[in-house]
Amino acid sequence: MQDKIFRVLLILSAVVIPIIGGGIVYSLTADASGAFEHFGFWNFIFSDDWITTAGKESYGALPFITGTLLTTILALLMCIPFSLPVALFTGEYFRGKKIAAVLGTVTDLLAGIPSIIYGLWGFYVLRNVFMHLNLSPQGSGILTAAFVLAIMIVPYAASLSSEFIKMVPSDLKEGAYAMGATRAEVIRRVVFPMAGSGIFSAYILAIGRALGETMTVTMLIGNTNQMPETLRTTGNTMASIIANQFGEADGLKLSSLIAIGLLLFLITAVINMIGKILIRKARHV
């Protein structure tokens, strides 16, 4: 009897997740349909207009899609060279030593800090540094937002990658050492092949966090509704435009913001799906 009850609970729990996901997609699609019907689905995606004047309203998502992808890709490119060495430091080279435990604790602490804290630090400290170095005329912009996003996801990716590196069986590494392999060779030929799919999934999750980050980006990207011409210019992301204008929006503008939210949901889902496919293929290699 208890097994049957437990089985029913498991089935119900498994069914709830797709129901919630389907409900989110349905509600977003229903509320965004007004914008898609008015502008056309593809025209809405590839238009760079954002005109709020009554009677001349024209909304397009391209500037915000571009800003989202630019900040995310830049953040990931800056994240990998720092997060992977930290993961190797704590998970392999100094595993079990006090220094690794201290660094691992600090990394986990940084991964759990609320994003608004990073935003405040970036606004009051990093923005002035970028202005002083002439990296951005006004301090805010695509590059500034991407840099702080990278700092946010470095401990997140490093902490997860370190756990996967620690899961590599010691017997395999000891066998490689017994055959005369160096530490670098063991990492390249044993650790990375065994933990590679897990490390890759850690970066996919980091991308997901960067894509949906709102407050930090809103405080640092400049919040201009235009296509970013260079990395030094200001812009907006899909999350920041919703955070900035959702409270005062109604009618067609509200429907357009919800449509942007739906597109962000789909982009995140597609990236995660591609990541899962690549991880599955890597495991079968």
Side-chain angles (χ1 to χ4, degrees):
M1 185 64 181
Q2 290 181 346
D3 289 341
K4 291 183 178 180
I5 294 174
F6 186 66
R7 182 182 178 84
V8 170
L9 290 175
L10 289 178
I11 293 173
L12 288 175
S13 300
V15 169
V16 165
I17 300 301
I19 289 177
I20 293 175
I24 292 173
V25 173
Y26 174 78
S27 61
L28 288 175
T29 303
D31 292 332
S33 60
F36 292 142
E37 290 174 1
H38 190 275
F39 301 110
F41 181 78
W42 295 111
N43 186 55
F44 179 78
I45 291 177
F46 292 106
S47 172
D48 60 357
D49 293 331
W50 194 261
I51 302 172
T52 60
T53 305
K56 299 181 180 179
E57 288 181 295
S58 180
Y59 301 110
L62 186 59
F64 316 119
I65 295 174
T66 304
T68 300
L69 295 179
L70 279 176
T71 53
T72 301
I73 293 171
L74 281 173
L76 182 65
L77 291 177
M78 289 186 279
C79 165
I80 294 175
F82 294 97
S83 59
L84 193 56
V86 171
L88 289 171
F89 185 97
T90 58
E92 177 61 28
Y93 273 85
F94 293 91
R95 180 181 177 182
K97 297 184 178 180
K98 187 174 181 180
I99 187 173
V102 172
L103 182 59
T105 301
V106 174
T107 302
D108 293 339
L109 177 63
L110 291 174
I113 292 177
S115 60
I116 189 67
I117 304 301
Y118 286 103
L120 288 171
W121 173 78
F123 186 83
Y124 286 108
V125 178
L126 189 65
R127 195 169 62 93
N128 295 327
V129 173
F130 272 54
M131 291 176 64
H132 180 72
L133 296 176
N134 200 28
L135 295 175
S136 176
Q138 62 285 325
S140 301
I142 298 292
L143 184 61
T144 311
F147 192 85
V148 177
L149 271 182
I151 294 174
M152 286 180 59
I153 64 176
V154 161
Y156 189 73
S159 180
L160 290 174
S161 299
S162 178
E163 293 302 317
F164 287 113
I165 290 172
K166 291 176 182 178
M167 292 171 64
V168 176
S170 299
D171 293 344
L172 294 177
K173 293 185 287 186
E174 291 174 0
Y177 286 129
M179 295 177 66
T182 63
R183 176 66 68 86
E185 290 173 334
V186 169
I187 290 173
R188 187 173 67 253
R189 298 182 181 180
V190 178
V191 174
F192 281 161
M194 291 295 297
S197 60
I199 295 172
F200 186 79
S201 65
Y203 285 106
I204 292 295
L205 291 173
I207 290 174
R209 180 174 184 184
L211 279 171
E213 180 53 45
T214 304
M215 288 310 302
T216 298
V217 175
T218 302
M219 297 174 70
L220 296 169
I221 200 168
N223 303 307
T224 54
N225 306 325
Q226 61 185 14
M227 283 289 293
E229 297 177 357
T230 67
L231 298 181
R232 301 175 64 200
T233 58
T234 57
N236 246 330
T237 64
M238 303 171 81
S240 65
I241 186 65
I242 295 173
N244 276 320
Q245 302 191 16
F246 191 82
E248 60 187 29
D250 58 4
L252 189 57
K253 182 178 182 181
L254 178 61
S255 180
S256 298
L257 290 174
I258 295 174
I260 291 174
L262 176 61
L263 292 175
L264 178 59
F265 180 92
L266 294 176
I267 290 173
T268 305
V270 168
I271 289 177
N272 278 278
M273 190 179 301
I274 293 173
K276 287 182 179 293
I277 293 172
L278 293 176
I279 290 171
R280 192 176 297 114
K281 287 184 177 180
R283 287 175 177 172
H284 289 87
V285 173

